[in-house]
Amino acid sequence: ALRWEVMLRPLRRDASLWRIFKATAIGFTAVVLFGRAGEPVRPYLIAKNEGVSFSSQIAAWLVERILDLLMVLLIFGIALTQVSHGSIQPGPRIKLALQAGGYTAGLTGVVCLSLLIAMSQFRGRVQQRLVSAMAFLPQPFLGKVEKFLVAFEEGMQCMRTLSSTLLLVIYSVVEWCAIAAAFMSVFR
């Protein structure tokens, strides 16, 4: 809910953390009950409660997923590099494969972060290229696609400033540290 509140700031300065929290709780309950089919419930409820477009919240959801992927890749990469320090000593080939996997995870994280930055910085050009690539579509449908892309671009505004981006990354790190601590507690 804290991350989503940061993502809403460019669209709605007075976004209510409590309303976002309620929508988040309902959204995660929908995911538990319906699986991935319940995933759009949270962006829909937040858009409805805060008076912003659903498309902009789909963009916020995409930013959130990329940040989560970055954190999972970081944890995975760290875990791969720490295998040889555990009680089981892998052979030289396995150790090399694990190190290569850790570096691959790190490179994938850099690519994801670059994609996130690119999506936030190249706003007008990307939208124009997508619309021109879809020029073959009927005009009413093309207008709807263009409207969706404009709203999607609004949702990406949360990554425009360095302070917002850093805050989103910090919240993601804190969230995933809590998740990792919960898993460690369960395993112990």
Side-chain angles (χ1 to χ4, degrees):
L2 287 171
R3 279 195 307 185
W4 213 290
E5 191 266 335
V6 171
M7 292 187 282
L8 270 172
R9 283 181 190 166
L11 302 175
R12 178 123 184 164
R13 276 274 185 224
D14 61 338
S16 166
L17 185 59
W18 178 244
R19 286 192 305 256
I20 295 168
F21 175 76
K22 290 190 301 187
T24 300
I26 293 169
F28 282 131
T29 302
V31 170
V32 169
L33 293 175
F34 305 117
R36 289 295 168 197
E39 197 67 59
V41 170
R42 183 169 43 135
Y44 172 77
L45 289 175
I46 291 171
K48 184 174 169 129
N49 291 343
E50 297 301 328
V52 295
S53 69
F54 178 61
S55 304
S56 69
Q57 296 316 292
I58 292 296
W61 175 79
L62 181 64
V63 168
E64 183 184 58
R65 287 294 161 244
I66 292 173
L67 288 168
D68 288 344
L69 177 61
L70 286 170
M71 294 301 114
V72 168
L73 285 172
L74 177 67
I75 292 169
F76 182 65
I78 290 170
L80 285 179
T81 62
Q82 298 302 311
V83 168
S84 62
H85 299 294
S87 59
I88 299 174
Q89 292 298 318
R93 287 184 179 171
I94 298 295
K95 186 175 181 177
L96 180 65
L98 292 173
Q99 287 176 342
Y103 290 124
T104 302
L107 179 64
T108 305
V110 169
V111 168
C112 287
L113 184 59
S114 300
L115 176 65
L116 192 61
I117 291 169
M119 286 172 38
S120 68
Q121 298 301 319
F122 303 112
R123 49 190 243 169
R125 286 183 265 167
V126 173
Q127 178 187 342
Q128 290 171 354
R129 286 188 182 180
L130 286 172
V131 170
S132 65
M134 295 183 205
F136 64 90
L137 295 172
Q139 188 58 36
F141 188 71
L142 187 62
K144 288 181 182 181
V145 168
E146 192 168 7
K147 185 178 175 184
F148 176 84
L149 289 173
V150 167
F152 188 84
E153 185 179 303
E154 286 176 358
M156 292 302 298
Q157 287 182 11
C158 65
M159 299 294 294
R160 297 261 190 267
T161 65
L162 182 61
S163 61
S164 293
T165 303
L166 286 175
L167 198 54
L168 288 172
V169 170
I170 289 168
Y171 282 154
S172 296
V173 168
V174 169
E175 176 183 2
W176 280 94
C177 283
I179 292 169
F183 272 99
M184 285 177 55
S185 297
V186 168
F187 286 139
R188 289 184 189 269

